[in-house]
Amino acid sequence: MYNDKKIAAIQARVNQEFLKLTPKSREQHEKSRGYWLRGVPMHWMVDWQCAYPLYIDRAQGVTMTDLDGNHYADFCLGDTGSMFGHSTPEIVEALTTQASRGITTMKPSRDAEAVGKLLTDIFGMAVWQVTATASDANRSIIRWCRAVTGRQKLLVFNQCYHGSVDETLVVHRPGGALGEADYDPILSMHGQEANGVALVEFNDLPSLRKILETGTVACILAEPIMTNVGMVLPDDGYWAEVRRLCTETGTLLIIDETHTISSGPGGHFRELGLKSDALVLGKPVAGGVPAGVYGVTAELAGRISDYFNRIGTTGRSGTSTTLSGSPFQLALMRKVLATSFTAATYAPMIAKAKGLEAGIKAIIAEFKAPWVVIRVGARVEFMCSPTPPHNGSEALKVIAQPIDTLIHAFLINHGVVITPFHNMMLISPVTTDTDVEKFLKAFRAVTKELME
Ligand SMILES: Cc1ncc(COP(=O)(O)O)c(C=O)c1O
């Protein structure tokens, strides 16, 4: 069985192996780091658990190849952005065709009808808007919810993540009253009071009810299952009761399916037959090209139209980003929605994810490791804790520990990449049995070494 000393000793060896395997990534990092904040084009790229990031030469299907020519089976898949595979032939074809027809024009294009129809058919919402990314979609729909309800408060769950939306980057205020939150001083970089944000634990219905009954909350923004702090599942009947409370208190429910789109082509809520007032999606919707969408029910669309009519537009309704709704985004979405957001695409993904889950379960049992594996659709997460977490606070205590760092680094040295920050693996339609076996072989080796 492992202890801190054993983990540190294995980690030291794994670090040395990484240096030997990746000299070109190291060299490139030394050359380029001076030009970038925190040494990388996006600061979270150094949150990977190695001495320096892997520098990627190419990514195709589910194989990433680094500058040293090492091949990696990619289970991170751009943290869902490339869920259907990197640079698949369909995506390349749509990219190259549209590239010569115009990228951004501030006008709708020939694909508007087809994309609108696909979105409505697949997700069930009445009308849509296109944004730059999922963060941008969240910001936009929160704004509409505040406008139409005349309420300012937004409610999110502790340890949620919805992108770079400042109000959602909140943490509990120590000793604070129920539902009060502070901005996280590092993540949000404000250090100011989180006015207008209510924060409660996932699965805590009494606290939620108490806040909603004040009648001050414009909307709840939530993932159907929490996917950014390990994985936290809802209790049975939880969402039905949240839906009921929202309707009763005039609170709008926004469901962010950006990650849980791995549950089925229409997202997790649709799989369960649940109803929200608005739906947000980004990342894979245009095959990894920056694009997000939000859809609203006919009822909410009517309220937004009424709001527009009430305030009157002056020919300047612009509250979103310039590159949103571009012909380029629409062309990519048309291709990806038509070819990938289908039951036929998802069936093998989910079947393979079940195989991965069973394989991890067997290894955990073989070595009696005090860990759990959780799967929802094509998304699998192992957590180095004997029981699954029930809310964000519980999950935070078990993720990103030295043991997780070690497992990530060990897997990388064995040609396997999983999502950084926690232990998520996503299965794409082009993931093969060989990829899954590669993961299981490496995972078994590290589990054996830790547990013996
Ligand atoms: C649930 C969820 N919503 C929204 C976002 C933001 O997506 P983007 O960074 O593409 O704007 C993320 C990013 O990880 C996410 O996990």
Side-chain angles (χ1 to χ4, degrees):
M1 177 67 173
Y2 53 88
N3 55 31
D4 291 352
K5 209 167 142 207
K6 185 167 181 183
I7 291 171
I10 305 173
Q11 182 75 62
R13 192 199 73 226
V14 166
N15 290 349
Q16 287 308 311
E17 286 164 1
F18 181 74
L19 299 183
K20 282 199 199 113
L21 287 165
T22 58
K24 289 197 176 140
S25 283
R26 182 184 198 169
E27 188 191 337
Q28 185 54 232
H29 191 56
E30 289 309 320
K31 283 184 184 161
S32 64
R33 63 188 296 181
Y35 297 106
W36 303 104
L37 192 64
R38 290 192 87 207
V40 275
M42 177 40 74
H43 54 77
W44 40 247
M45 289 174 178
V46 282
D47 292 347
W48 285 84
Q49 289 86 355
C50 296
Y52 42 84
L54 290 173
Y55 279 67
I56 299 302
D57 182 41
R58 56 191 184 277
Q60 188 139 40
V62 291
T63 304
M64 285 200 296
T65 306
D66 70 11
L67 297 184
D68 289 284
N70 299 309
H71 300 301
Y72 301 89
D74 185 7
F75 290 86
C76 169
L77 296 170
D79 200 13
T80 315
S82 299
M83 186 172 82
F84 301 114
H86 296 285
S87 294
T88 58
E90 298 80 27
I91 292 170
V92 172
E93 196 257 326
L95 272 168
T96 44
T97 306
Q98 188 59 37
S100 59
R101 285 188 183 159
I103 307 293
T104 191
T105 56
M106 292 188 83
K107 298 273 181 264
S109 66
R110 71 177 84 206
D111 294 317
E113 182 195 355
V115 174
K117 183 168 177 354
L118 279 163
L119 287 168
T120 292
D121 289 349
I122 295 168
F123 299 102
M125 289 293 168
V127 296
W128 295 87
Q129 288 282 272
V130 180
T131 63
T133 72
S135 300
D136 192 27
N138 280 327
R139 261 190 294 274
S140 300
I141 187 62
I142 291 168
R143 193 180 301 126
W144 287 128
C145 290
R146 285 176 163 157
V148 302
T149 59
R151 302 173 180 177
Q152 278 307 298
K153 215 180 255 299
L154 160 72
L155 188 143
V156 292
F157 293 106
N158 193 30
Q159 298 304 325
C160 69
Y161 185 70
H162 297 283
S164 61
V165 183
D166 281 340
E167 294 112 305
T168 65
L169 300 171
V170 287
V171 291
H172 266 305
R173 175 187 300 160
L178 175 71
E180 288 185 347
D182 267 350
Y183 278 110
D184 182 305
I186 297 169
L187 284 177
S188 75
M189 293 179 273
H190 283 310
Q192 67 196 50
E193 288 270 296
N195 290 325
V197 183
L199 188 68
V200 295
E201 291 287 4
F202 197 65
N203 280 326
D204 178 358
L205 279 172
S207 298
L208 184 72
R209 184 176 303 118
K210 197 162 169 186
I211 293 172
L212 294 192
E213 282 174 353
T214 61
T216 57
V217 178
C219 56
I220 297 176
L221 172 62
E223 288 189 277
I225 49 177
M226 296 187 84
T227 67
N228 281 297
V229 60
M231 206 132 71
V232 183
L233 304 179
D235 290 340
D236 284 348
Y238 177 70
W239 278 117
E241 181 59 8
V242 176
R243 174 68 271 180
R244 198 191 62 72
L245 285 169
C246 283
T247 306
E248 193 178 283
T249 58
T251 311
L252 294 165
L253 180 59
I254 309 169
I255 288 295
D256 180 349
E257 296 272 13
T258 300
H259 277 181
T260 48
I261 191 60
S262 50
S263 290
H268 194 80
F269 244 47
R270 200 151 208 220
E271 284 292 306
L272 299 184
L274 292 162
K275 300 250 182 277
S276 63
D277 299 293
L279 174 151
V280 166
L281 179 63
K283 299 201 186 184
V285 72
V289 167
V293 291
Y294 61 93
V296 299
T297 58
E299 204 255 325
L300 181 51
R303 290 174 72 183
I304 295 172
S305 294
D306 290 348
Y307 177 81
F308 259 125
N309 293 338
R310 218 168 41 246
I311 59 165
T313 56
T314 56
R316 292 166 62 91
S317 74
T319 52
S320 279
T321 53
T322 315
L323 304 184
S324 298
S326 70
F328 199 64
Q329 289 176 315
L330 289 192
L332 264 291
M333 282 201 281
R334 182 175 183 171
K335 177 62 91 178
V336 176
L337 287 167
T339 57
S340 298
F341 284 75
T342 65
T345 301
Y346 274 75
M349 289 163 65
I350 292 172
K352 215 157 268 152
K354 284 183 182 165
L356 176 63
E357 177 193 24
I360 296 173
K361 224 178 231 168
I363 292 166
I364 290 175
E366 181 184 354
F367 295 102
K368 298 191 175 47
W371 306 341
V372 286
V373 58
I374 306 166
R375 181 193 60 81
V376 179
R379 182 174 296 267
V380 182
E381 175 103 28
F382 67 87
M383 298 184 82
C384 297
S385 145
T387 48
H390 189 237
N391 59 38
S393 292
E394 285 181 22
L396 189 65
K397 287 191 192 128
V398 298
I399 64 162
Q401 298 298 310
I403 189 163
D404 303 289
T405 306
L406 168 62
I407 296 173
H408 277 243
F410 189 101
L411 292 174
I412 285 174
N413 287 357
H414 288 73
V416 175
V417 170
I418 66 173
T419 302
F421 326 128
H422 52 101
N423 306 328
M424 190 279 285
M425 290 141 293
L426 197 59
I427 299 288
S428 92
V430 284
T431 304
T432 63
D433 289 339
T434 311
D435 298 314
V436 172
E437 279 157 24
K438 191 173 180 187
F439 170 87
L440 290 174
K441 194 168 169 219
F443 185 74
R444 186 177 184 281
V446 69
T447 306
K448 182 169 190 282
E449 191 166 354
L450 279 163
M451 293 304 299
E452 280 183 354

